[in-house]
Amino acid sequence: MSAESGSTSQRATLDKRGITTPSVRPRPSQGFELWWWLFMRISGLLLLFLAVGHVLIMHVLDGGIERVDYEFVASRWQMPFWRTWDWLLLSLALVHGTNGLRVIIQDYVRKPQARFLLNWFFYIVTFIIFALGTVVVFTFDYSKYLGG
Amino acid sequence: MSKRDEVGRLYNGKTGQWMWVAHRLTGVAIILFLFAHVVDTAVIGWGPEAYNRVMEAYANPIVRTLELVLVAAVLFHAINGVKIMLIDFWPRAALIHKKLSLATIIIFVVVMAPITLLIGKSIIESI
């Protein structure tokens, strides 16, 4: 919380090298928020490949979404590579997105109870979706519906 | 000036502030879609008939247009995310942040142009 207070009055700062930095949300200096700040950038870099790759493969290249059906997904998930890709994408995107929601809620929801409830609503939804997605990615059985 | 106004003007800028707003909006749109997308993909566990029925429900011009919006949201968030990291890890980039925002928009438009044509053509042909 302390990292937030007093920051809004800061309009332009001069760093150690004398470079003027236009007013931006200050980088959290330590603790919980610093780790989340770092996580957003590291996961963002990974998602740059995982999410953009996923979108291009599924929606743009080689006929796009029109060629995506049961057969397409099933044969893709024959390969552990794509199951791993999809699970990594699921996990990172969920945590990255839910933390993003937390930061936005912190900015716009002022009542402590409402903030608490909204945050926990999204944490629970995220957990359920993560559990569902994980089960689906790892337990999908192609042979179950062969010839059925 | 109330505290609320100050927060709304956190970046107190033109280009940078709008890029920041767009980054938030696209981010929220993507995570909300992701929640739904995991559920629709989970239907694959009920076999080909169930899953293909879901895909058919998505195959109409309205949802296909939302698909294009989603692709645009992901690409904008990704390209602007790179800009954010450039400014975060290379302080001098902050001096040219307006040029970097312009570059972000140009790259986004250049990438989206062929994608819009491709998905747009596919939507029109499906009508």
Side-chain angles (χ1 to χ4, degrees), chain B residues 64-92:
Chain B
R64 296 290 321 268
T65 307
L66 289 175
E67 178 200 355
L68 185 59
V69 173
L70 176 76
V71 172
V74 171
L75 287 173
F76 179 86
H77 203 85
I79 300 165
N80 196 53
V82 173
K83 186 206 74 182
I84 291 173
M85 282 189 277
L86 270 178
I87 293 175
D88 280 341
F89 295 114
W90 179 44
R92 274 178 195 280

PDB file of all heavy atoms in Angstrom, chain B residues 64-92:
ATOM      1  N   ARG B  64     -17.812 -14.302 -35.265  1.00  0.00           N
ATOM      2  CA  ARG B  64     -16.585 -14.196 -36.084  1.00  0.00           C
ATOM      3  C   ARG B  64     -16.027 -12.770 -36.035  1.00  0.00           C
ATOM      4  O   ARG B  64     -14.809 -12.577 -36.068  1.00  0.00           O
ATOM      5  CB  ARG B  64     -16.858 -14.586 -37.544  1.00  0.00           C
ATOM      6  CG  ARG B  64     -17.286 -16.034 -37.791  1.00  0.00           C
ATOM      7  CD  ARG B  64     -16.188 -17.073 -37.560  1.00  0.00           C
ATOM      8  NE  ARG B  64     -14.857 -16.716 -38.002  1.00  0.00           N
ATOM      9  CZ  ARG B  64     -14.340 -17.000 -39.194  1.00  0.00           C
ATOM     10  NH1 ARG B  64     -15.058 -17.655 -40.077  1.00  0.00           N
ATOM     11  NH2 ARG B  64     -13.116 -16.661 -39.497  1.00  0.00           N
ATOM     12  N   THR B  65     -16.908 -11.774 -35.946  1.00  0.00           N
ATOM     13  CA  THR B  65     -16.449 -10.393 -35.823  1.00  0.00           C
ATOM     14  C   THR B  65     -15.789 -10.177 -34.457  1.00  0.00           C
ATOM     15  O   THR B  65     -14.740  -9.532 -34.352  1.00  0.00           O
ATOM     16  CB  THR B  65     -17.624  -9.412 -36.009  1.00  0.00           C
ATOM     17  OG1 THR B  65     -18.285  -9.728 -37.238  1.00  0.00           O
ATOM     18  CG2 THR B  65     -17.145  -7.972 -36.065  1.00  0.00           C
ATOM     19  N   LEU B  66     -16.394 -10.781 -33.424  1.00  0.00           N
ATOM     20  CA  LEU B  66     -15.778 -10.712 -32.095  1.00  0.00           C
ATOM     21  C   LEU B  66     -14.420 -11.408 -32.094  1.00  0.00           C
ATOM     22  O   LEU B  66     -13.500 -11.007 -31.392  1.00  0.00           O
ATOM     23  CB  LEU B  66     -16.698 -11.350 -31.047  1.00  0.00           C
ATOM     24  CG  LEU B  66     -17.975 -10.570 -30.712  1.00  0.00           C
ATOM     25  CD1 LEU B  66     -18.855 -11.369 -29.761  1.00  0.00           C
ATOM     26  CD2 LEU B  66     -17.636  -9.216 -30.093  1.00  0.00           C
ATOM     27  N   GLU B  67     -14.295 -12.467 -32.909  1.00  0.00           N
ATOM     28  CA  GLU B  67     -13.025 -13.180 -33.047  1.00  0.00           C
ATOM     29  C   GLU B  67     -11.946 -12.219 -33.554  1.00  0.00           C
ATOM     30  O   GLU B  67     -10.837 -12.169 -33.013  1.00  0.00           O
ATOM     31  CB  GLU B  67     -13.196 -14.357 -34.023  1.00  0.00           C
ATOM     32  CG  GLU B  67     -11.914 -15.137 -34.268  1.00  0.00           C
ATOM     33  CD  GLU B  67     -11.953 -15.953 -35.556  1.00  0.00           C
ATOM     34  OE1 GLU B  67     -13.014 -15.997 -36.216  1.00  0.00           O
ATOM     35  OE2 GLU B  67     -10.922 -16.530 -35.910  1.00  0.00           O
ATOM     36  N   LEU B  68     -12.312 -11.438 -34.571  1.00  0.00           N
ATOM     37  CA  LEU B  68     -11.377 -10.453 -35.123  1.00  0.00           C
ATOM     38  C   LEU B  68     -10.987  -9.417 -34.063  1.00  0.00           C
ATOM     39  O   LEU B  68      -9.818  -9.053 -33.927  1.00  0.00           O
ATOM     40  CB  LEU B  68     -12.011  -9.771 -36.347  1.00  0.00           C
ATOM     41  CG  LEU B  68     -11.130  -8.789 -37.117  1.00  0.00           C
ATOM     42  CD1 LEU B  68      -9.870  -9.457 -37.638  1.00  0.00           C
ATOM     43  CD2 LEU B  68     -11.922  -8.180 -38.277  1.00  0.00           C
ATOM     44  N   VAL B  69     -11.972  -8.983 -33.278  1.00  0.00           N
ATOM     45  CA  VAL B  69     -11.714  -8.021 -32.201  1.00  0.00           C
ATOM     46  C   VAL B  69     -10.764  -8.634 -31.167  1.00  0.00           C
ATOM     47  O   VAL B  69      -9.834  -7.980 -30.684  1.00  0.00           O
ATOM     48  CB  VAL B  69     -13.037  -7.574 -31.525  1.00  0.00           C
ATOM     49  CG1 VAL B  69     -12.778  -6.719 -30.298  1.00  0.00           C
ATOM     50  CG2 VAL B  69     -13.915  -6.819 -32.517  1.00  0.00           C
ATOM     51  N   LEU B  70     -10.971  -9.905 -30.856  1.00  0.00           N
ATOM     52  CA  LEU B  70     -10.123 -10.602 -29.891  1.00  0.00           C
ATOM     53  C   LEU B  70      -8.683 -10.696 -30.391  1.00  0.00           C
ATOM     54  O   LEU B  70      -7.735 -10.429 -29.647  1.00  0.00           O
ATOM     55  CB  LEU B  70     -10.679 -12.006 -29.612  1.00  0.00           C
ATOM     56  CG  LEU B  70      -9.809 -12.850 -28.679  1.00  0.00           C
ATOM     57  CD1 LEU B  70      -9.978 -12.406 -27.234  1.00  0.00           C
ATOM     58  CD2 LEU B  70     -10.115 -14.318 -28.831  1.00  0.00           C
ATOM     59  N   VAL B  71      -8.520 -11.087 -31.659  1.00  0.00           N
ATOM     60  CA  VAL B  71      -7.180 -11.177 -32.251  1.00  0.00           C
ATOM     61  C   VAL B  71      -6.503  -9.804 -32.168  1.00  0.00           C
ATOM     62  O   VAL B  71      -5.342  -9.690 -31.772  1.00  0.00           O
ATOM     63  CB  VAL B  71      -7.249 -11.680 -33.718  1.00  0.00           C
ATOM     64  CG1 VAL B  71      -5.889 -11.581 -34.394  1.00  0.00           C
ATOM     65  CG2 VAL B  71      -7.750 -13.120 -33.764  1.00  0.00           C
ATOM     66  N   ALA B  72      -7.261  -8.749 -32.494  1.00  0.00           N
ATOM     67  CA  ALA B  72      -6.723  -7.388 -32.431  1.00  0.00           C
ATOM     68  C   ALA B  72      -6.326  -7.037 -30.995  1.00  0.00           C
ATOM     69  O   ALA B  72      -5.261  -6.451 -30.761  1.00  0.00           O
ATOM     70  CB  ALA B  72      -7.755  -6.394 -32.963  1.00  0.00           C
ATOM     71  N   ALA B  73      -7.167  -7.420 -30.028  1.00  0.00           N
ATOM     72  CA  ALA B  73      -6.883  -7.116 -28.620  1.00  0.00           C
ATOM     73  C   ALA B  73      -5.590  -7.791 -28.171  1.00  0.00           C
ATOM     74  O   ALA B  73      -4.735  -7.172 -27.530  1.00  0.00           O
ATOM     75  CB  ALA B  73      -8.052  -7.552 -27.738  1.00  0.00           C
ATOM     76  N   VAL B  74      -5.426  -9.078 -28.526  1.00  0.00           N
ATOM     77  CA  VAL B  74      -4.222  -9.819 -28.130  1.00  0.00           C
ATOM     78  C   VAL B  74      -2.984  -9.185 -28.769  1.00  0.00           C
ATOM     79  O   VAL B  74      -1.967  -8.971 -28.091  1.00  0.00           O
ATOM     80  CB  VAL B  74      -4.329 -11.314 -28.523  1.00  0.00           C
ATOM     81  CG1 VAL B  74      -2.992 -12.026 -28.322  1.00  0.00           C
ATOM     82  CG2 VAL B  74      -5.422 -12.000 -27.718  1.00  0.00           C
ATOM     83  N   LEU B  75      -3.073  -8.855 -30.057  1.00  0.00           N
ATOM     84  CA  LEU B  75      -1.911  -8.288 -30.741  1.00  0.00           C
ATOM     85  C   LEU B  75      -1.565  -6.899 -30.201  1.00  0.00           C
ATOM     86  O   LEU B  75      -0.399  -6.596 -29.990  1.00  0.00           O
ATOM     87  CB  LEU B  75      -2.145  -8.257 -32.252  1.00  0.00           C
ATOM     88  CG  LEU B  75      -2.069  -9.650 -32.893  1.00  0.00           C
ATOM     89  CD1 LEU B  75      -2.481  -9.604 -34.347  1.00  0.00           C
ATOM     90  CD2 LEU B  75      -0.673 -10.254 -32.757  1.00  0.00           C
ATOM     91  N   PHE B  76      -2.582  -6.076 -29.948  1.00  0.00           N
ATOM     92  CA  PHE B  76      -2.294  -4.759 -29.385  1.00  0.00           C
ATOM     93  C   PHE B  76      -1.625  -4.889 -28.016  1.00  0.00           C
ATOM     94  O   PHE B  76      -0.614  -4.242 -27.731  1.00  0.00           O
ATOM     95  CB  PHE B  76      -3.565  -3.905 -29.252  1.00  0.00           C
ATOM     96  CG  PHE B  76      -3.277  -2.562 -28.648  1.00  0.00           C
ATOM     97  CD1 PHE B  76      -2.876  -1.501 -29.446  1.00  0.00           C
ATOM     98  CD2 PHE B  76      -3.341  -2.373 -27.271  1.00  0.00           C
ATOM     99  CE1 PHE B  76      -2.556  -0.268 -28.882  1.00  0.00           C
ATOM    100  CE2 PHE B  76      -3.025  -1.150 -26.700  1.00  0.00           C
ATOM    101  CZ  PHE B  76      -2.638  -0.096 -27.514  1.00  0.00           C
ATOM    102  N   HIS B  77      -2.202  -5.746 -27.165  1.00  0.00           N
ATOM    103  CA  HIS B  77      -1.687  -5.935 -25.805  1.00  0.00           C
ATOM    104  C   HIS B  77      -0.242  -6.440 -25.852  1.00  0.00           C
ATOM    105  O   HIS B  77       0.596  -6.021 -25.051  1.00  0.00           O
ATOM    106  CB  HIS B  77      -2.591  -6.923 -25.058  1.00  0.00           C
ATOM    107  CG  HIS B  77      -2.531  -6.812 -23.567  1.00  0.00           C
ATOM    108  ND1 HIS B  77      -3.289  -5.914 -22.859  1.00  0.00           N
ATOM    109  CD2 HIS B  77      -1.810  -7.498 -22.650  1.00  0.00           C
ATOM    110  CE1 HIS B  77      -3.028  -6.053 -21.556  1.00  0.00           C
ATOM    111  NE2 HIS B  77      -2.134  -7.009 -21.411  1.00  0.00           N
ATOM    112  N   ALA B  78       0.042  -7.317 -26.821  1.00  0.00           N
ATOM    113  CA  ALA B  78       1.390  -7.876 -26.957  1.00  0.00           C
ATOM    114  C   ALA B  78       2.392  -6.816 -27.420  1.00  0.00           C
ATOM    115  O   ALA B  78       3.458  -6.653 -26.818  1.00  0.00           O
ATOM    116  CB  ALA B  78       1.372  -9.047 -27.939  1.00  0.00           C
ATOM    117  N   ILE B  79       2.034  -6.090 -28.471  1.00  0.00           N
ATOM    118  CA  ILE B  79       2.968  -5.096 -29.026  1.00  0.00           C
ATOM    119  C   ILE B  79       3.174  -3.951 -28.029  1.00  0.00           C
ATOM    120  O   ILE B  79       4.294  -3.519 -27.776  1.00  0.00           O
ATOM    121  CB  ILE B  79       2.453  -4.555 -30.388  1.00  0.00           C
ATOM    122  CG1 ILE B  79       2.306  -5.700 -31.397  1.00  0.00           C
ATOM    123  CG2 ILE B  79       3.420  -3.506 -30.949  1.00  0.00           C
ATOM    124  CD1 ILE B  79       1.470  -5.339 -32.626  1.00  0.00           C
ATOM    125  N   ASN B  80       2.081  -3.484 -27.430  1.00  0.00           N
ATOM    126  CA  ASN B  80       2.198  -2.412 -26.438  1.00  0.00           C
ATOM    127  C   ASN B  80       2.945  -2.900 -25.189  1.00  0.00           C
ATOM    128  O   ASN B  80       3.651  -2.119 -24.542  1.00  0.00           O
ATOM    129  CB  ASN B  80       0.820  -1.866 -26.066  1.00  0.00           C
ATOM    130  CG  ASN B  80       0.907  -0.537 -25.354  1.00  0.00           C
ATOM    131  OD1 ASN B  80       1.541   0.388 -25.845  1.00  0.00           O
ATOM    132  ND2 ASN B  80       0.291  -0.450 -24.185  1.00  0.00           N
ATOM    133  N   GLY B  81       2.807  -4.192 -24.884  1.00  0.00           N
ATOM    134  CA  GLY B  81       3.542  -4.778 -23.758  1.00  0.00           C
ATOM    135  C   GLY B  81       5.043  -4.702 -23.977  1.00  0.00           C
ATOM    136  O   GLY B  81       5.805  -4.427 -23.039  1.00  0.00           O
ATOM    137  N   VAL B  82       5.467  -4.925 -25.217  1.00  0.00           N
ATOM    138  CA  VAL B  82       6.896  -4.808 -25.550  1.00  0.00           C
ATOM    139  C   VAL B  82       7.352  -3.364 -25.331  1.00  0.00           C
ATOM    140  O   VAL B  82       8.407  -3.110 -24.762  1.00  0.00           O
ATOM    141  CB  VAL B  82       7.160  -5.248 -27.014  1.00  0.00           C
ATOM    142  CG1 VAL B  82       8.603  -4.968 -27.401  1.00  0.00           C
ATOM    143  CG2 VAL B  82       6.834  -6.730 -27.186  1.00  0.00           C
ATOM    144  N   LYS B  83       6.510  -2.421 -25.733  1.00  0.00           N
ATOM    145  CA  LYS B  83       6.831  -0.992 -25.540  1.00  0.00           C
ATOM    146  C   LYS B  83       6.981  -0.677 -24.050  1.00  0.00           C
ATOM    147  O   LYS B  83       7.919   0.012 -23.650  1.00  0.00           O
ATOM    148  CB  LYS B  83       5.727  -0.122 -26.153  1.00  0.00           C
ATOM    149  CG  LYS B  83       6.042   1.365 -26.120  1.00  0.00           C
ATOM    150  CD  LYS B  83       4.792   2.222 -26.127  1.00  0.00           C
ATOM    151  CE  LYS B  83       4.100   2.183 -24.775  1.00  0.00           C
ATOM    152  NZ  LYS B  83       2.851   2.964 -24.742  1.00  0.00           N
ATOM    153  N   ILE B  84       6.057  -1.213 -23.238  1.00  0.00           N
ATOM    154  CA  ILE B  84       6.122  -0.985 -21.790  1.00  0.00           C
ATOM    155  C   ILE B  84       7.448  -1.500 -21.224  1.00  0.00           C
ATOM    156  O   ILE B  84       8.123  -0.817 -20.456  1.00  0.00           O
ATOM    157  CB  ILE B  84       4.927  -1.676 -21.083  1.00  0.00           C
ATOM    158  CG1 ILE B  84       3.624  -0.964 -21.456  1.00  0.00           C
ATOM    159  CG2 ILE B  84       5.122  -1.673 -19.558  1.00  0.00           C
ATOM    160  CD1 ILE B  84       2.368  -1.677 -20.951  1.00  0.00           C
ATOM    161  N   MET B  85       7.845  -2.706 -21.667  1.00  0.00           N
ATOM    162  CA  MET B  85       9.089  -3.275 -21.149  1.00  0.00           C
ATOM    163  C   MET B  85      10.311  -2.494 -21.615  1.00  0.00           C
ATOM    164  O   MET B  85      11.266  -2.331 -20.860  1.00  0.00           O
ATOM    165  CB  MET B  85       9.186  -4.749 -21.547  1.00  0.00           C
ATOM    166  CG  MET B  85       8.306  -5.622 -20.671  1.00  0.00           C
ATOM    167  SD  MET B  85       8.577  -7.357 -20.932  1.00  0.00           S
ATOM    168  CE  MET B  85       7.553  -7.645 -22.349  1.00  0.00           C
ATOM    169  N   LEU B  86      10.272  -1.997 -22.848  1.00  0.00           N
ATOM    170  CA  LEU B  86      11.372  -1.152 -23.339  1.00  0.00           C
ATOM    171  C   LEU B  86      11.552   0.052 -22.426  1.00  0.00           C
ATOM    172  O   LEU B  86      12.664   0.382 -22.021  1.00  0.00           O
ATOM    173  CB  LEU B  86      11.055  -0.662 -24.753  1.00  0.00           C
ATOM    174  CG  LEU B  86      11.522  -1.523 -25.918  1.00  0.00           C
ATOM    175  CD1 LEU B  86      11.074  -0.904 -27.238  1.00  0.00           C
ATOM    176  CD2 LEU B  86      13.033  -1.682 -25.886  1.00  0.00           C
ATOM    177  N   ILE B  87      10.431   0.701 -22.083  1.00  0.00           N
ATOM    178  CA  ILE B  87      10.496   1.897 -21.237  1.00  0.00           C
ATOM    179  C   ILE B  87      10.920   1.532 -19.811  1.00  0.00           C
ATOM    180  O   ILE B  87      11.681   2.253 -19.171  1.00  0.00           O
ATOM    181  CB  ILE B  87       9.137   2.644 -21.253  1.00  0.00           C
ATOM    182  CG1 ILE B  87       8.886   3.212 -22.659  1.00  0.00           C
ATOM    183  CG2 ILE B  87       9.101   3.751 -20.203  1.00  0.00           C
ATOM    184  CD1 ILE B  87       7.535   3.866 -22.842  1.00  0.00           C
ATOM    185  N   ASP B  88      10.467   0.345 -19.329  1.00  0.00           N
ATOM    186  CA  ASP B  88      10.808  -0.072 -17.970  1.00  0.00           C
ATOM    187  C   ASP B  88      12.282  -0.406 -17.801  1.00  0.00           C
ATOM    188  O   ASP B  88      12.891  -0.105 -16.778  1.00  0.00           O
ATOM    189  CB  ASP B  88       9.984  -1.307 -17.573  1.00  0.00           C
ATOM    190  CG  ASP B  88       8.580  -0.932 -17.149  1.00  0.00           C
ATOM    191  OD1 ASP B  88       8.352   0.243 -16.822  1.00  0.00           O
ATOM    192  OD2 ASP B  88       7.709  -1.817 -17.160  1.00  0.00           O
ATOM    193  N   PHE B  89      12.841  -1.094 -18.791  1.00  0.00           N
ATOM    194  CA  PHE B  89      14.204  -1.619 -18.612  1.00  0.00           C
ATOM    195  C   PHE B  89      15.269  -0.785 -19.302  1.00  0.00           C
ATOM    196  O   PHE B  89      16.451  -1.063 -19.197  1.00  0.00           O
ATOM    197  CB  PHE B  89      14.254  -3.078 -19.080  1.00  0.00           C
ATOM    198  CG  PHE B  89      13.408  -3.980 -18.220  1.00  0.00           C
ATOM    199  CD1 PHE B  89      12.273  -4.613 -18.728  1.00  0.00           C
ATOM    200  CD2 PHE B  89      13.729  -4.173 -16.881  1.00  0.00           C
ATOM    201  CE1 PHE B  89      11.482  -5.419 -17.927  1.00  0.00           C
ATOM    202  CE2 PHE B  89      12.946  -4.981 -16.072  1.00  0.00           C
ATOM    203  CZ  PHE B  89      11.825  -5.600 -16.589  1.00  0.00           C
ATOM    204  N   TRP B  90      14.849   0.227 -20.038  1.00  0.00           N
ATOM    205  CA  TRP B  90      15.803   1.091 -20.739  1.00  0.00           C
ATOM    206  C   TRP B  90      15.312   2.527 -20.559  1.00  0.00           C
ATOM    207  O   TRP B  90      14.535   3.033 -21.357  1.00  0.00           O
ATOM    208  CB  TRP B  90      15.846   0.691 -22.227  1.00  0.00           C
ATOM    209  CG  TRP B  90      16.766   1.507 -23.073  1.00  0.00           C
ATOM    210  CD1 TRP B  90      18.035   1.905 -22.772  1.00  0.00           C
ATOM    211  CD2 TRP B  90      16.477   2.012 -24.392  1.00  0.00           C
ATOM    212  NE1 TRP B  90      18.555   2.620 -23.811  1.00  0.00           N
ATOM    213  CE2 TRP B  90      17.631   2.705 -24.817  1.00  0.00           C
ATOM    214  CE3 TRP B  90      15.372   1.942 -25.241  1.00  0.00           C
ATOM    215  CZ2 TRP B  90      17.697   3.326 -26.057  1.00  0.00           C
ATOM    216  CZ3 TRP B  90      15.444   2.556 -26.473  1.00  0.00           C
ATOM    217  CH2 TRP B  90      16.600   3.234 -26.880  1.00  0.00           C
ATOM    218  N   PRO B  91      15.768   3.169 -19.460  1.00  0.00           N
ATOM    219  CA  PRO B  91      15.215   4.477 -19.064  1.00  0.00           C
ATOM    220  C   PRO B  91      15.193   5.508 -20.193  1.00  0.00           C
ATOM    221  O   PRO B  91      14.281   6.317 -20.268  1.00  0.00           O
ATOM    222  CB  PRO B  91      16.156   4.928 -17.944  1.00  0.00           C
ATOM    223  CG  PRO B  91      16.737   3.675 -17.410  1.00  0.00           C
ATOM    224  CD  PRO B  91      16.816   2.707 -18.547  1.00  0.00           C
ATOM    225  N   ARG B  92      16.198   5.479 -21.077  1.00  0.00           N
ATOM    226  CA  ARG B  92      16.238   6.471 -22.148  1.00  0.00           C
ATOM    227  C   ARG B  92      15.039   6.358 -23.094  1.00  0.00           C
ATOM    228  O   ARG B  92      14.683   7.323 -23.761  1.00  0.00           O
ATOM    229  CB  ARG B  92      17.532   6.341 -22.952  1.00  0.00           C
ATOM    230  CG  ARG B  92      18.650   7.115 -22.328  1.00  0.00           C
ATOM    231  CD  ARG B  92      19.946   6.953 -23.077  1.00  0.00           C
ATOM    232  NE  ARG B  92      21.037   7.416 -22.244  1.00  0.00           N
ATOM    233  CZ  ARG B  92      21.358   8.704 -22.094  1.00  0.00           C
ATOM    234  NH1 ARG B  92      20.687   9.630 -22.724  1.00  0.00           N
ATOM    235  NH2 ARG B  92      22.343   9.058 -21.304  1.00  0.00           N
TER     236      ARG B  92
END
